[in-house]
Amino acid sequence: MSKTAHWKESWYQHRNVLISLLEQIEDGHLDYQPWEDAMTLKDLVLHVASSNAMILEMVKTDEMSNPETPEVQSMDELRQAVRDFTDKTAAIFDSITDEELAQDNQAKIPTMQGKREVYVQAMYDHELHHKGQLFVYARLVGATDLPFFR
Ligand code: NI
């Protein structure tokens, strides 16, 4: 298995957990925030789903952009948005070669400097970072039947 395929598989496991977690959250909590100024549940989900596609694109571009996110009015729409971003992210993975991962990147952020593979590590870490937060959000809005972490 190529390195890229291995990363994709491993990321997919976590993304599928996120999708399962969202199945456990009922409508009525899209704007939930555990404290004032916190990201709302909806914004946190859209943030992780959209920015991971964006971070992965940095393997090709080195550019960090502000990803566009759709308006969602229900949990079903939120789940659909996550599925769409998941497909988009998977397609980007399929376009990345192991040769690209081994090249030096041009990252401006010091902690992202190194090989292009660092971007993949960063998107993976970002997924886990926010997925953990969403487990807490899910409990706080009443979900009790949570999936395994991986
Ligand atoms: Ni983030």
Short mmCIF file of all heavy atoms in Angstrom, two decimals, residues 39 44 47-48 51-52 55 126-127 129-130 133, ligand 1:
data_model
loop_
_atom_site.label_atom_id
_atom_site.label_comp_id
_atom_site.label_asym_id
_atom_site.label_seq_id
_atom_site.Cartn_x
_atom_site.Cartn_y
_atom_site.Cartn_z
N MET A 39 -17.18 28.03 19.24
CA MET A 39 -17.78 27.69 17.95
C MET A 39 -19.08 26.93 18.20
O MET A 39 -19.14 26.10 19.12
CB MET A 39 -16.83 26.80 17.14
CG MET A 39 -15.66 27.54 16.54
SD MET A 39 -14.65 26.42 15.52
CE MET A 39 -15.08 27.02 13.91
N LEU A 44 -18.41 24.10 14.12
CA LEU A 44 -17.26 23.22 14.41
C LEU A 44 -17.22 22.05 13.43
O LEU A 44 -16.16 21.69 12.91
CB LEU A 44 -17.34 22.74 15.86
CG LEU A 44 -16.15 21.95 16.41
CD1 LEU A 44 -14.84 22.68 16.23
CD2 LEU A 44 -16.37 21.62 17.89
N HIS A 47 -16.25 23.36 10.10
CA HIS A 47 -14.84 23.75 10.13
C HIS A 47 -13.94 22.53 9.90
O HIS A 47 -13.04 22.57 9.05
CB HIS A 47 -14.51 24.40 11.48
CG HIS A 47 -13.05 24.57 11.72
ND1 HIS A 47 -12.27 25.46 11.00
CD2 HIS A 47 -12.19 23.94 12.56
CE1 HIS A 47 -11.01 25.37 11.41
NE2 HIS A 47 -10.93 24.46 12.35
N VAL A 48 -14.16 21.47 10.63
CA VAL A 48 -13.27 20.31 10.47
C VAL A 48 -13.43 19.69 9.09
O VAL A 48 -12.44 19.34 8.43
CB VAL A 48 -13.45 19.28 11.61
CG1 VAL A 48 -14.81 18.66 11.62
CG2 VAL A 48 -12.38 18.20 11.53
N SER A 51 -11.99 22.38 6.36
CA SER A 51 -10.58 22.75 6.39
C SER A 51 -9.68 21.55 6.16
O SER A 51 -8.55 21.71 5.71
CB SER A 51 -10.22 23.50 7.67
OG SER A 51 -10.65 22.81 8.78
N ASN A 52 -10.16 20.32 6.40
CA ASN A 52 -9.29 19.20 6.11
C ASN A 52 -9.10 18.99 4.62
O ASN A 52 -8.02 18.61 4.18
CB ASN A 52 -9.77 17.94 6.82
CG ASN A 52 -9.32 17.96 8.26
OD1 ASN A 52 -8.80 18.97 8.73
ND2 ASN A 52 -9.47 16.86 8.96
N ILE A 55 -6.54 21.78 3.91
CA ILE A 55 -5.16 21.49 4.34
C ILE A 55 -4.53 20.47 3.39
O ILE A 55 -3.36 20.58 3.03
CB ILE A 55 -5.12 20.99 5.81
CG1 ILE A 55 -5.67 22.03 6.78
CG2 ILE A 55 -3.68 20.64 6.20
CD1 ILE A 55 -5.88 21.51 8.21
N HIS A 126 -5.58 17.62 12.89
CA HIS A 126 -6.70 18.56 12.98
C HIS A 126 -8.03 17.81 13.11
O HIS A 126 -8.90 18.18 13.89
CB HIS A 126 -6.69 19.45 11.73
CG HIS A 126 -7.58 20.65 11.82
ND1 HIS A 126 -8.75 20.75 11.12
CD2 HIS A 126 -7.47 21.80 12.53
CE1 HIS A 126 -9.32 21.91 11.39
NE2 HIS A 126 -8.57 22.57 12.25
N GLU A 127 -8.16 16.74 12.34
CA GLU A 127 -9.37 15.91 12.42
C GLU A 127 -9.54 15.38 13.86
O GLU A 127 -10.62 15.45 14.44
CB GLU A 127 -9.25 14.74 11.43
CG GLU A 127 -10.44 13.78 11.42
CD GLU A 127 -11.46 14.13 10.34
OE1 GLU A 127 -11.10 14.84 9.38
OE2 GLU A 127 -12.61 13.70 10.46
N HIS A 129 -8.16 16.42 16.68
CA HIS A 129 -8.32 17.51 17.63
C HIS A 129 -9.80 17.91 17.74
O HIS A 129 -10.37 17.95 18.84
CB HIS A 129 -7.47 18.69 17.15
CG HIS A 129 -7.71 19.98 17.83
ND1 HIS A 129 -7.42 20.19 19.15
CD2 HIS A 129 -8.21 21.15 17.36
CE1 HIS A 129 -7.74 21.44 19.47
NE2 HIS A 129 -8.21 22.04 18.41
N HIS A 130 -10.41 18.15 16.59
CA HIS A 130 -11.80 18.62 16.63
C HIS A 130 -12.80 17.48 16.84
O HIS A 130 -13.88 17.70 17.38
CB HIS A 130 -12.13 19.39 15.35
CG HIS A 130 -11.44 20.72 15.29
ND1 HIS A 130 -11.56 21.67 16.28
CD2 HIS A 130 -10.60 21.26 14.37
CE1 HIS A 130 -10.84 22.74 15.96
NE2 HIS A 130 -10.25 22.53 14.81
N GLN A 133 -13.27 17.18 20.47
CA GLN A 133 -14.15 18.24 20.97
C GLN A 133 -15.61 17.88 20.69
O GLN A 133 -16.48 18.09 21.53
CB GLN A 133 -13.82 19.57 20.28
CG GLN A 133 -12.47 20.14 20.66
CD GLN A 133 -12.15 21.39 19.86
OE1 GLN A 133 -12.50 21.52 18.69
NE2 GLN A 133 -11.49 22.33 20.52
NI NI B 1 -9.31 23.99 13.58
#
